[in-house]
Structure formats: structure tokens, C-alpha cells
């Protein structure tokens, strides 16, 4: 099995944005997430926000390319994992999700739904109470009763996501920039205002996608004569390329928690992509952390792109890694085509 993997190290310049504002902390000031490094405060955009929008991009691409998804997954329902497994069990004719039926149903769910395949989930069916009596998780009971006959002798199953996303962190310390907006006018014609933090900075981030895991059955070894790949190889390639495109689309057009009202002004897009065929793709962070520097513990690494490019240099006649740099959105949008040439057509 080829271990295809791809990593992105990138820098985004975002101005006047509120991509990760959450909570008021007892006031009317909407607070963003913060990252303290040493004694200095930096601006942070959580990986979960980025991950959510990559999944949204992936859903749209799957819809456009006729890649199969289950309805709850297409809507990014938080319980799409256990619901999808039950749907797969019914498709296989199982009314009781016993241990014998569980793992074939998990495999079938991968076939039926590209979102469950790449996004991961945890489906905790049963827990062992004291005395050896089985007790259903309370949160699952309503779904069990509504969607499937009562589970018997089943075990928790999980699927790790096929991609990892790191926080974005500002390269320079971030002071709060506060603007005020009129929320509504009351009957006494007095403005009621709320304060909204708006930030501008250059942010550094990394994303890694393990393409070889797409379509793979994590529990193949517990089934008789089951292959590791649960879908057709052509379908696997379609999902792999869709996921690469979903990541590229996020970097080219980042979105956040308040996207409807606070579209960011993007003034910088740059980075490097590394594709490998024999190992998990390494990366070099665009930032360097030096806790001995009390005034500026986080600084940009001006050589990160060059360092990643050197990782793709051939060793003798062996070529198993390729790197592409990008300095704007146009160059970034060309990368899925380069990946397709290596992954599908096998170009050198």
C-alpha cells in the first residue's frame, strides 16, 4: 500500500476579521480566542473552526462531483457517526446491531458516506456498569430507540479523521482592536450598542492530510476475507482529490465563526505543499518559538518554504516526494491539478 500524504504550511494575512470570536466574559465585548506564549499574548484561530469549514467545502465538492454522502452527514449533524452506522446496518438487513453486525456496518458506512470516511467519529454504543450489567449511554438512547432495534452486545467504535488541522497563530503580538456597532434602537430612541473586536495580523498554520487512509476499513482484520480498502480504487481517488481541493479552498478563501457578517480581508496568501508517497508528509512550521526571548517569543521563520522544498529532493534514483510553493491564490488553486497528476496519472 502506498502511503500517500500531503502537508500544507501557509501564511495568511487577515484584516478586519472576527473569525474566532466567542463569549462575552460578563460584558458586551465579544472576545476572540487568545494564545499566551511566555508572557506575550497572541491572536489565535482554533483548528476546529478551520476543520469545520474544510468539511463544509468537502460537502459542497462531493455534492458537485456526485460523491456519495448520507443525509445527516451532508448536513454535518454532530451525531452523524452513530446515525450513519445504523443506516448502514439497515442497508445490510440488520435490525439488531450486535457485535457480529457492527463491523460490517461500519465498513458499509464508509462505502455509503464520504464524510464519515474522511471526517471521523466516535460511536459509543454501550458501557460496562458495575456488576457486569450493560448500561446504555443516555445521550444515545433516543437515537437507538428511534432509528434501530435495541443494540445487543455491541462495543464502542471510532474512526480517526483523515486530516489534522493546527491552530492559526498570529506572528506578532495582538492588542484588542474594538469597534462599536449599534445593535438596535429602543422605544426611547436610545442606541443600545455592543462592542466587537476586529483584528488584523499575519497568521501561520499547518494542515496535514493522510490520503492513504481515505476509504480504508479500520476494522478489516476483525472480518472474514475483508480487504482493507472498503471502496473502489477509483472512488478512493475521487475522495482524495476532493479533500485536497477542500483544504485549498479554505486557504484561498478562509471563513470563520461569524462568516455571514465578518468576511475577512485577505491581504496575504503564501505557503508550500509537500506530497509524499512512502510516508506521512512532514512539514516545517512558518513560525519559530523561542521562550528565552521574553519580548518576542514567536517570530516568523523566513526559510520554512525552502526547508520544506528541500524535503522533496530526490535521493539517488528515488523520487517519493514533491513540493510546490505558492505566493498567491492563483498559484494555490493549481495545486490540486499537480496532486492529481502524481496520484492518478503517476506522472514523474
Amino acid at each position: 500500500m502506498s502511503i500517500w500524504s500531503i502537508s500544507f504550511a501557509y501564511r495568511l494575512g487577515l484584516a478586519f476579521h472576527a473569525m474566532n470570536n466567542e463569549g462575552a466574559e460578563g460584558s458586551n465585548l465579544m472576545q476572540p480566542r487568545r494564545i499566551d506564549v511566555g508572557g506575550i499574548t497572541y491572536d489565535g484561530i482554533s483548528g476546529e473552526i478551520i476543520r469545520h469549514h474544510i468539511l463544509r467545502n468537502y460537502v459542497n465538492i462531493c455534492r458537485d462531483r456526485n460523491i456519495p454522502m448520507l443525509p445527516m452527514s451532508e448536513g454535518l449533524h454532530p451525531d452523524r457517526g452513530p446515525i450513519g452506522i445504523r443506516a448502514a446496518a439497515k442497508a445490510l438487513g440488520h435490525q439488531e446491531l450486535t457485535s457480529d453486525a457492527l463491523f460490517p456496518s461500519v465498513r458499509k458506512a464508509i462505502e455509503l458516506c464520504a464524510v464519515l470516511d474522511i471526517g471521523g467519529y466516535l460511536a459509543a454504543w454501550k458501557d460496562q456498569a458495575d456488576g457486569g450489567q450493560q448500561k446504555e449511554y443516555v445521550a444515545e438512547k433516543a437515537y437507538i430507540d428511534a432509528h434501530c432495534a435495541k443494540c445487543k452486545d455491541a462495543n464502542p467504535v471510532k474512526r480517526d479523521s483523515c486530516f489534522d488541522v493546527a491552530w492559526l497563530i498570529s506572528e506578532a503580538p495582538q492588542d484588542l482592536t474594538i469597534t462599536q456597532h449599534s445593535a438596535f434602537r429602543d422605544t426611547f430612541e436610545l442606541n443600545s450598542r455592543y462592542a466587537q473586536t476586529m483584528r488584523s495580523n499575519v497568521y501561520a498554520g499547518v494542515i496535514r492530510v493522510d490520503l492513504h487512509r481515505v476509504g480504508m476499513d479500520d476494522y478489516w482484520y476483525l472480518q472474514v476475507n475483508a480487504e482493507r480498502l472498503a471502496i473502489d480504487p477509483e472512488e478512493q481517488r475521487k475522495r482524495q482529490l476532493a479533500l485536497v481541493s477542500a483544504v485549498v479552498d479554505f486557504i484561498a478563501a478562509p471563513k470563520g465563526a461569524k462568516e455571514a457578517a465578518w468576511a475577512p480581508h485577505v491581504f496575504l496568501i503564501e505557503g508550500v505543499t509537500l506530497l509524499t508517497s512512502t510516508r506521512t508528509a512532514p512539514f516545517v512550521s512558518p513560525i519559530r518559538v523561542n521562550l528565552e526571548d521574553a519580548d518576542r517569543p514567536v517570530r516568523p521563520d523566513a526559510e520554512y518554504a525552502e526547508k520544506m522544498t528541500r524535503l522533496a529532493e530526490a535521493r539517488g534514483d528515488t523520487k517519493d516526494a514533491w513540493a510546490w510553493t505558492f505566493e498567491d491564490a492563483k498559484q494555490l488553486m493549481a495545486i490540486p491539478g499537480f496532486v492529481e497528476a502524481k496520484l492518478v496519472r503517476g506522472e514523474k
Side-chain angles (χ1 to χ4, degrees):
M1 180 183 68
S2 297
I3 304 177
W4 287 99
S5 183
I6 189 170
S7 60
F8 296 80
Y10 62 102
R11 299 171 71 229
L12 288 177
L14 304 174
F16 313 117
H17 73 92
M19 285 185 66
N20 208 174
N21 283 10
E22 53 182 32
E25 297 187 4
S27 70
N28 67 340
L29 174 62
M30 289 294 293
Q31 298 277 8
R33 287 198 175 189
R34 319 294 283 165
I35 301 176
D36 290 332
V37 182
I40 307 298
T41 298
Y42 293 86
D43 194 13
I45 300 171
S46 73
E48 281 304 308
I49 288 290
I50 301 169
R51 174 181 172 79
H52 177 76
H53 286 285
I54 289 175
L55 283 173
R56 288 183 61 172
N57 291 342
Y58 184 72
V59 166
N60 291 334
I61 293 169
C62 287
R63 190 181 297 125
D64 182 62
R65 300 181 185 179
N66 296 318
I67 298 174
M69 296 178 289
L70 291 170
M72 290 294 185
S73 298
E74 189 172 356
L76 294 181
H77 191 288
D79 284 329
R80 57 186 176 270
I83 294 174
I85 292 173
R86 294 186 190 98
K90 289 189 175 181
L92 292 174
H94 300 297
Q95 294 304 313
E96 294 184 351
L97 202 51
T98 63
S99 294
D100 291 339
L102 178 59
F103 298 120
S105 299
V106 169
R107 183 184 183 89
K108 186 67 174 180
I110 296 173
E111 176 189 339
L112 294 176
C113 184
V115 178
L116 294 183
D117 180 11
I118 67 100
Y121 58 81
L122 173 65
W125 306 103
K126 294 279 190 177
D127 194 10
Q128 288 290 332
D130 292 339
Q133 298 296 318
Q134 287 189 330
K135 181 179 69 175
E136 293 173 348
Y137 284 109
V138 175
E140 292 290 345
K141 189 175 188 307
Y143 285 122
I144 292 173
D145 293 342
H147 297 280
C148 185
K150 184 170 290 188
C151 299
K152 297 180 179 179
D153 302 324
N155 300 301
V157 292
K158 73 168 186 174
R159 181 170 179 80
D160 292 331
S161 174
C162 293
F163 68 102
D164 296 318
V165 180
W167 280 59
L168 283 172
I169 183 173
S170 62
E171 294 183 350
Q174 178 75 68
D175 295 326
L176 289 179
T177 302
I178 302 171
T179 61
Q180 287 190 327
H181 307 269
S182 178
F184 63 89
R185 187 177 294 275
D186 62 21
T187 56
F188 298 100
E189 297 186 354
L190 298 175
N191 283 332
S192 176
R193 296 179 179 273
Y194 69 92
Q196 169 72 54
T197 57
M198 304 293 287
R199 296 105 76 201
S200 297
N201 220 313
V202 176
Y203 298 81
V206 292
I207 300 172
R208 181 162 55 207
V209 182
D210 291 329
L211 297 171
H212 62 278
R213 292 193 58 247
V214 174
M216 293 294 174
D217 180 2
D218 293 333
Y219 298 99
W220 64 275
Y221 59 94
L222 296 175
Q223 302 164 69
V224 178
N225 297 325
E227 299 290 336
R228 294 191 68 173
L229 185 60
I231 58 178
D232 183 88
E234 183 178 351
E235 177 68 17
Q236 182 192 37
R237 292 288 185 260
K238 291 172 60 177
R239 296 184 186 186
Q240 290 171 331
L241 294 174
L243 184 51
V244 172
S245 295
V247 174
V248 166
D249 288 353
F250 171 80
I251 299 174
K255 301 177 182 178
K258 298 175 71 66
E259 63 172 308
W262 310 109
H265 296 253
V266 182
F267 61 86
L268 172 68
I269 295 176
E270 71 161 46
V272 57
T273 301
L274 180 68
L275 176 70
T276 65
S277 62
T278 57
R279 63 181 59 83
T280 299
F283 58 79
V284 177
S285 175
I287 63 169
R288 292 182 289 110
V289 177
N290 180 10
L291 296 180
E292 295 181 356
D293 186 344
D295 297 325
R296 194 74 180 274
V298 174
R299 292 182 181 271
D301 184 348
E303 299 179 348
Y304 79 98
E306 180 182 351
K307 292 175 182 176
M308 278 189 64
T309 301
R310 288 202 298 266
L311 292 174
E313 294 177 354
R315 295 177 299 280
D317 296 331
T318 302
K319 182 68 173 178
D320 60 1
W322 303 265
W324 303 280
T325 58
F326 53 92
E327 297 179 355
D328 53 35
K330 181 177 181 180
Q331 293 178 359
L332 171 64
M333 298 295 286
I335 286 177
F338 300 151
V339 175
E340 182 178 8
K342 306 299 181 185
L343 197 65
V344 178
R345 297 193 294 273
E347 295 181 6
K348 302 298 184 182

